Amino acid sequence: PARPSAAARRESNSDSAAAEEIAKASRVGRGSLRFQGPTSLGAMPPPGATATAGSMSLSQSRGAHPTLRMNSFLRSTDAGYQHAEAPQQGDRFIRKMATYGHVRPSVSFTSEPRVTRPMKEHCAVDMSNLPTTFMDPRGEDKEGSLSYPQPPKEIDDSFIKLYENHSLMLPSERYKEHLHMKKAEKQWREDRANLFLYRKRMNVLERHYPGGVTGLDGPLHPNTQLYAERRQHFVNQEERKATHGTGRLDHLHHQRRADDATAARMYGSDPNLLRSQDICMQRKCVDPEQHPVRFIDTHERLFPSYSPEWDPQRAAAIRSHDVRGKTHNIISGTDNHIELKVAQRWDMPPLPGMPNIASHPGYVPP
């Protein structure tokens, strides 16, 4: 056999040396393998060569906001966040939609221009399912002339039971029964054909002429018979739209309403309002009857002319608690009402200069 060359011997020696180092590291346990020089297993690549797109995006956005770092990481690693179309080169702009997740652009985006559609006189904000305008009644004589006769509500098929009549009968009786069955069957076939024809005609009107027959009949005619159900549907629809429109108008008025002082209406004129009522803020109670404490004199508050020792209202409330709200005597059943009054005072009148004479209940001036 031919001897191996010197290069082959050196390569085999390096492989055996590398295998010995790996076996030594496995016996020792956790350790680091250091290969001195190039071997057949290949040299370790530099750290920058194995950097992925995600690690590069994170390293480039170091120090930025976490949301921006996450956005950059997803756009560079996840296919769902990447554009489906390759970037176009050149000096011409090609209108395309930046789709994500490999989704085709919608038809409304590619076929609808950026210019807003003009609002013309014949345009409407909402669509209508009412018939076209030339279907409206015009008061002509031929209106209402289209009519289909109503079929019978019940079709008589009692003659079928006569086929099962096997009783003994005279020839004349059997012949009379035969004539009756023949006449009843003929009438049954006519009623059945009329019913099928009426249903067919109504289906033709509903499917081919849903808006009515021009000049003859339609759901907008007030006394229609063929389109009575469809007309009732339109009437209920208009009632619902009117109710909704009224509520919507009130809601919009409430949302867009502005006070006269805020909108500067009639600026400089007398508003004829109470004190501080034209200011859009909470006002204090300045009514002497509702809040009389705000109008008490300092001297009268410190030196009251009358200090009541007994309050009839408080006494009435305490008594109602004692009798537990009953207005009758639990034994005799009679009325237990007691009128509580303050005795009239004939003593000295209030001091001179005290205006609150009315605070003396029962006081009779001399």
Side-chain angles (χ1 to χ4, degrees), residues 233-253:
H233 171 73
F234 287 146
V235 170
N236 298 337
Q237 175 182 286
E238 290 299 324
E239 292 179 357
R240 290 193 301 268
K241 290 180 64 177
T243 305
H244 175 74
T246 305
R248 181 175 181 271
L249 179 61
D250 297 341
H251 178 72
L252 292 179
H253 173 71

Side-chain angles (χ1 to χ4, degrees), residues 257-269:
R257 183 185 62 86
D259 194 84
D260 293 342
T262 306
R265 302 189 185 98
M266 298 182 295
Y267 180 77
S269 60

Side-chain angles (χ1 to χ4, degrees), residues 87-238:
Q88 300 291 337
Q89 303 294 335
D91 57 349
R92 294 292 185 272
F93 173 74
I94 301 177
R95 185 186 181 202
K96 294 183 179 180
M97 184 175 66
T99 56
Y100 295 93
H102 303 279
V103 181
R104 297 181 61 184
S106 60
V107 179
S108 61
F109 182 84
T110 56
S111 60
E112 188 74 14
R114 294 185 178 182
V115 182
T116 308
R117 292 183 179 181
M119 189 65 180
K120 300 182 180 180
E121 297 180 356
H122 63 274
C123 297
V125 179
D126 55 345
M127 298 180 62
S128 175
N129 58 350
L130 296 177
T132 182
T133 55
F134 55 78
M135 292 292 182
D136 298 344
R138 302 177 182 179
E140 300 179 357
D141 297 337
K142 63 180 180 179
E143 293 180 358
S145 59
L146 179 62
S147 62
Y148 297 141
Q150 293 284 343
K153 296 182 179 180
E154 297 182 0
I155 300 178
D156 186 14
D157 57 351
S158 59
F159 70 94
I160 300 178
K161 298 181 180 179
L162 299 178
Y163 286 103
E164 301 176 358
N165 185 12
H166 303 292
S167 59
L168 296 176
M169 301 175 64
L170 295 175
S172 59
E173 296 176 348
R174 182 70 68 180
Y175 181 70
K176 291 181 180 179
E177 184 184 23
H178 165 69
L179 295 179
H180 173 72
M181 292 171 56
K182 186 176 180 180
K183 182 179 179 180
E185 182 180 0
K186 182 179 180 181
Q187 185 65 31
W188 173 77
R189 293 186 182 276
E190 290 180 0
D191 295 344
R192 188 167 176 268
N194 293 334
L195 177 61
F196 289 167
L197 181 61
Y198 179 79
R199 290 180 178 177
K200 182 177 181 180
R201 288 173 174 176
M202 296 304 296
N203 290 336
V204 170
L205 288 179
E206 293 178 0
R207 297 173 185 177
H208 297 276
Y209 303 96
V213 182
T214 308
L216 296 180
D217 201 354
L220 300 182
H221 293 251
N223 299 325
T224 178
Q225 297 295 332
L226 300 178
Y227 295 91
E229 183 178 357
R230 191 169 182 85
R231 175 179 173 78
Q232 187 63 30
H233 171 73
F234 287 146
V235 170
N236 298 337
Q237 175 182 286
E238 290 299 324

Side-chain angles (χ1 to χ4, degrees), residues 294-323:
R294 291 175 52 87
F295 298 88
I296 294 180
D297 189 12
T298 304
H299 190 276
E300 178 66 20
R301 187 172 62 251
L302 296 179
F303 307 100
S305 302
Y306 170 69
S307 299
E309 298 178 356
W310 181 75
D311 189 1
Q313 298 180 357
R314 181 174 179 272
I318 294 176
R319 185 176 181 278
S320 66
H321 297 167
D322 293 339
V323 299

Side-chain angles (χ1 to χ4, degrees), residues 57-74:
S57 64
L58 293 177
S59 62
Q60 293 176 0
S61 60
R62 184 174 300 173
H65 194 271
T67 305
L68 300 178
R69 299 191 67 189
M70 176 61 71
N71 182 45
S72 176
F73 178 78
L74 292 177

Side-chain angles (χ1 to χ4, degrees), residues 6-61:
R9 288 196 300 271
R10 287 194 301 269
E11 185 175 357
S12 61
N13 294 334
S14 62
D15 292 343
S16 59
E20 291 178 0
E21 292 184 6
I22 294 175
K24 183 185 295 183
S26 63
R27 289 193 301 269
V28 173
R30 296 180 180 179
S32 59
L33 298 179
R34 296 183 180 180
F35 296 93
Q36 302 294 334
T39 60
S40 61
L41 296 178
M44 292 293 292
T50 59
T52 60
S55 61
M56 291 179 62
S57 64
L58 293 177
S59 62
Q60 293 176 0
S61 60

